């Protein structure tokens, strides 16, 4: 399993309404992509320094990630919203497995 994280910083012209519309579009998009095991997107809580918005997607493997990112739905959301909203973007992919987290013993 792979966790794909994307963090965005918005252009100054982005409004709360833009962000709401984007979130709705991403949520709808995700429901139509069978390769997604889990998906969440929304404004950053700003508990620590970081971007304005984040997406977390879990897929089975690299092929699943490509299917998600290259899907017509994802491309449509990018063209309609993200392309004009993004000032900065960063992304990372992390492996997920049952042993990824170990609670401290003692």
């Amino acid at each position: 399993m792979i966790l794909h994280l994307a963090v965005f910083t918005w252009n100054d012209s982005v409004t709360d309404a833009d962000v709401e519309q984007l979130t709705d579009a991403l949520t709808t998009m995700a429901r139509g992509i069978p390769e997604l095991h889990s998906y969440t997107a929304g404004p950053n809580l700003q508990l620590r320094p970081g971007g304005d918005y984040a997406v977390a997607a879990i897929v089975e493997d690299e092929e699943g990630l490509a299917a998600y990112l290259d899907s017509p739905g994802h491309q449509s959301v990018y063209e309609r919203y993200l392309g004009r909203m993004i000032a900065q973007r960063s992304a990372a992919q992390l492996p997920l497995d049952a042993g990824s987290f170990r609670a401290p013993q003692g």
Side-chain angles (χ1 to χ4, degrees), residues 3-20:
L3 170 63
H4 170 73
L5 300 167
V7 177
F8 306 101
T9 300
W10 299 139
N11 290 314
D12 291 337
S13 62
V14 173
T15 66
D16 289 344
D18 291 328
V19 174
E20 281 185 43

Side-chain angles (χ1 to χ4, degrees), residues 1 3-5 8-10 14-16 23 25 28 33 43 45 48-49 63 70 74-75 77-79 87 97-98:
M1 299 283 266
L3 170 63
H4 170 73
L5 300 167
F8 306 101
T9 300
W10 299 139
V14 173
T15 66
D16 289 344
T23 302
T28 299
I33 301 175
L45 295 175
R48 297 285 191 265
E63 291 79 22
D70 297 337
H74 187 270
Q75 296 302 314
V77 170
Y78 187 88
E79 289 171 12
D97 62 68

Side-chain angles (χ1 to χ4, degrees), residues 76-90:
S76 176
V77 170
Y78 187 88
E79 289 171 12
R80 186 165 182 198
Y81 300 100
L82 288 169
R84 67 176 172 81
M85 295 171 68
I86 297 171
Q88 288 186 301
R89 177 192 176 274
S90 61

Side-chain angles (χ1 to χ4, degrees), residues 88-106:
Q88 288 186 301
R89 177 192 176 274
S90 61
Q93 295 77 44
L94 301 173
L96 291 180
D97 62 68
S100 292
F101 176 79
R102 300 275 187 236
Q105 300 297 314

Side-chain angles (χ1 to χ4, degrees), residues 19-95:
V19 174
E20 281 185 43
Q21 291 171 355
L22 169 66
T23 302
D24 289 344
L26 287 170
T27 301
T28 299
M29 172 214 66
R31 288 188 192 114
I33 301 175
E35 290 82 5
L36 290 170
H37 290 276
S38 177
Y39 189 88
T40 190
N44 185 356
L45 295 175
Q46 302 295 332
L47 302 176
R48 297 285 191 265
D52 297 316
Y53 195 90
V55 171
I58 296 177
V59 296
E60 187 67 34
D61 51 25
E62 190 174 347
E63 291 79 22
L65 181 63
Y68 154 56
L69 294 175
D70 297 337
S71 71
H74 187 270
Q75 296 302 314
S76 176
V77 170
Y78 187 88
E79 289 171 12
R80 186 165 182 198
Y81 300 100
L82 288 169
R84 67 176 172 81
M85 295 171 68
I86 297 171
Q88 288 186 301
R89 177 192 176 274
S90 61
Q93 295 77 44
L94 301 173

